[in-house]
Amino acid sequence: MNRHPRTFLGFVITTALSLALVACAGVGGGAQTYRAPGPEYAYVANHGSNTVSQYAIGAGGALKAMNPATVPAGSGPIAVTVNPMGKYAYVVNDEDGTVSQYAIGAGGALTPMNPATVRAGCRYCLAFAVTIDPTGKYAYVANPGYGTVSQFAIGAGGALTAMNPATVTAGSRNSISHVTVDPTGKYAYVVNSLGSSISQYTIGADGALKAMSPATVPAGISPLSITVDPTGKYAYVANPGLIINGTVLQYVIGAGGALRPMNPATVPAGRLPSSVTVDPTGKYAYVVNQSDNNVSQYTIGAGGALTAMRPATVAAGTSPESVTVDPTGKYAYVANGGGNNISQYAIGANGALKAMRPATVAAGRTPASFTVDPTGKYAYVVNVYGESVSQYVIGSNGALTAMSTPAAMSTPTVAAGRIPTSVAIYPPLLSRP
């Protein structure tokens, strides 16, 4: 989160600004406005009348006064803000078949909820990946062991509660590797590695998944992960295949959410591509290649097709597992499972990655899934064989620093379950690997 001083009626004020979630601007006539995260509400502080105007934001962006249109404020209000900080974090524990759930404190530190874990739909399901819908109301967990997806409602206090039914069928046993939800919250997609397909679902008003027709689309050989671009128009799948180099499958998302292969259907990647993500602007895509120890980088054309940048790759650490871009689109991070560290990059004006100094920061044993909170201030990585979550503060230059300060009342890591594999944060970002 950046802080910009503003001169206003002779005063200097400071407004919190998160580039991914917040639009904050001075307004004539002695008012300052804030748009809350998501396309729902806007608020204006009215300096002269000691009130705050409140509006609903329509589908086309038009403001409509609420009832009441204003609420009282103090004397001479000049700014209004809403706390967009991530509130809760969830970690799936592969061997336990559980989800650890945490509250995120003011300093970004994780604290286990009560209860600390919930069962991922069935006993010994080998939960593998977790995602949260854009409304922050529902969470979904891929269970490879049973070929199902667990579906949860997220309560007011962040605790997960299994829906009825608790699971829906996806691929075959031991085949599921990833699950994601599109930015509209209308559609979900599940990667079936052994089935070489993507299961596709509509999401009902109650959050329940319902298989589309067709229920699956082909996805090359042994696909591993899927991401949807911020516009909700395109989807990309990391596909290792069985040849020397893997590919990225690229799809157009139709009006009903169904995936349709682009032309061309694939673009080259490196050896064993395992994770793909798109930056918040929707202009660039990045793929980690585990066997090549590097990251493929692409520009995204007007029709969604990927084109390799020059250079086509940048070095990462040993056996990179996942890649993530922060909410501002300025920085990228790669979890290096074989190196027990995180590679950190600045993103240039053309989208190319440039290693920071230092190029890496330490993590736990076998870091796998990396995520950044919606404010861009904190980051978390699950350490598979360390059975923990490393937690970091993100500096103004994007560099990671392990949390270990008295002010934050935190430690560099917190305990997770057995073999944790994936982490997600509420409220979610619209673009996440």
Side-chain angles (χ1 to χ4, degrees):
M1 179 175 287
N2 302 318
R3 293 189 177 273
H4 297 276
R6 293 177 177 269
T7 301
F8 181 83
L9 296 178
F11 297 95
V12 176
I13 64 172
T14 298
T15 18
L17 179 65
S18 175
L19 298 181
L21 297 174
V22 180
C24 189
V27 178
Q32 178 123 350
T33 183
Y34 176 92
R35 177 171 173 175
E40 296 183 354
Y41 312 111
Y43 307 92
V44 177
N46 303 306
H47 180 76
S49 61
N50 298 336
T51 60
V52 175
S53 297
Q54 45 188 10
Y55 303 88
I57 302 176
L63 299 181
K64 181 179 180 180
M66 294 185 192
N67 187 7
T70 62
V71 291
S75 178
I78 55 175
V80 60
T81 190
V82 175
N83 179 17
M85 180 180 176
K87 293 181 178 180
Y88 314 110
Y90 307 94
V91 172
V92 293
N93 304 302
D94 183 32
E95 197 164 309
D96 284 346
T98 63
V99 181
S100 295
Q101 43 188 15
Y102 306 86
I104 302 178
L110 304 183
T111 301
M113 294 184 194
N114 187 10
T117 64
V118 293
R119 181 65 57 186
C122 57
R123 193 171 180 81
Y124 307 122
C125 271
L126 298 179
F128 194 76
V130 59
T131 193
I132 299 172
D133 88 305
T135 70
K137 295 180 180 179
Y138 312 109
Y140 305 94
V141 176
N143 303 308
Y146 278 37
T148 62
V149 177
S150 294
Q151 42 188 15
F152 299 91
I154 301 177
L160 303 181
T161 301
M163 295 184 194
N164 186 10
T167 63
V168 293
T169 301
S172 60
R173 183 184 289 264
N174 299 320
S175 74
I176 301 175
S177 62
H178 197 247
V179 57
T180 197
V181 175
D182 87 308
T184 69
K186 294 180 180 179
Y187 314 114
Y189 306 96
V190 176
V191 178
N192 305 307
S193 293
L194 295 184
S196 298
S197 65
I198 306 295
S199 294
Q200 44 189 12
Y201 305 86
T202 57
I203 301 178
D206 59 353
L209 303 182
K210 182 179 179 181
M212 294 184 193
S213 181
T216 63
V217 292
I221 300 174
S222 302
L224 284 181
S225 73
I226 183 171
T227 194
V228 176
D229 87 308
T231 69
K233 294 180 179 179
Y234 314 111
Y236 306 95
V237 175
N239 182 18
L242 296 178
I243 56 177
I244 294 177
N245 284 342
T247 61
V248 180
L249 307 176
Q250 40 189 19
Y251 301 87
V252 174
I253 300 177
L259 302 180
R260 184 181 76 250
M262 292 186 195
N263 186 11
T266 65
V267 293
R271 292 185 300 166
L272 194 56
S274 60
S275 173
V276 56
T277 195
V278 175
D279 86 307
T281 70
K283 295 179 179 179
Y284 312 113
Y286 306 95
V287 175
V288 294
N289 303 302
Q290 282 190 5
S291 295
D292 284 340
N293 299 330
N294 64 19
V295 181
S296 295
Q297 45 188 10
Y298 307 86
T299 57
I300 301 177
L306 304 182
T307 301
M309 296 184 192
R310 293 185 180 180
T313 63
V314 293
T318 304
S319 299
E321 297 275 351
S322 67
V323 57
T324 301
V325 176
D326 88 309
T328 71
K330 294 181 178 180
Y331 312 110
Y333 306 94
V334 171
N336 301 306
N340 297 336
N341 58 28
I342 308 298
S343 295
Q344 46 187 11
Y345 306 87
I347 300 178
N350 63 350
L353 303 183
K354 182 179 179 181
M356 296 184 192
R357 293 185 179 180
T360 63
V361 293
R365 187 181 173 195
T366 321
S369 174
F370 187 97
T371 194
V372 178
D373 90 304
T375 70
K377 294 173 67 175
Y378 311 110
Y380 309 91
V381 64
V382 293
N383 304 303
V384 177
Y385 293 109
E387 298 187 344
S388 64
V389 181
S390 294
Q391 40 190 13
Y392 304 88
V393 175
I394 301 178
S396 58
N397 63 349
L400 303 177
T401 301
M403 279 190 202
S404 185
T405 62
M409 298 297 289
S410 63
T411 58
T413 63
V414 292
R418 299 187 64 188
I419 316 299
T421 56
S422 179
V423 59
I425 288 180
Y426 164 92
L429 295 175
L430 294 187
S431 178
R432 195 186 298 271

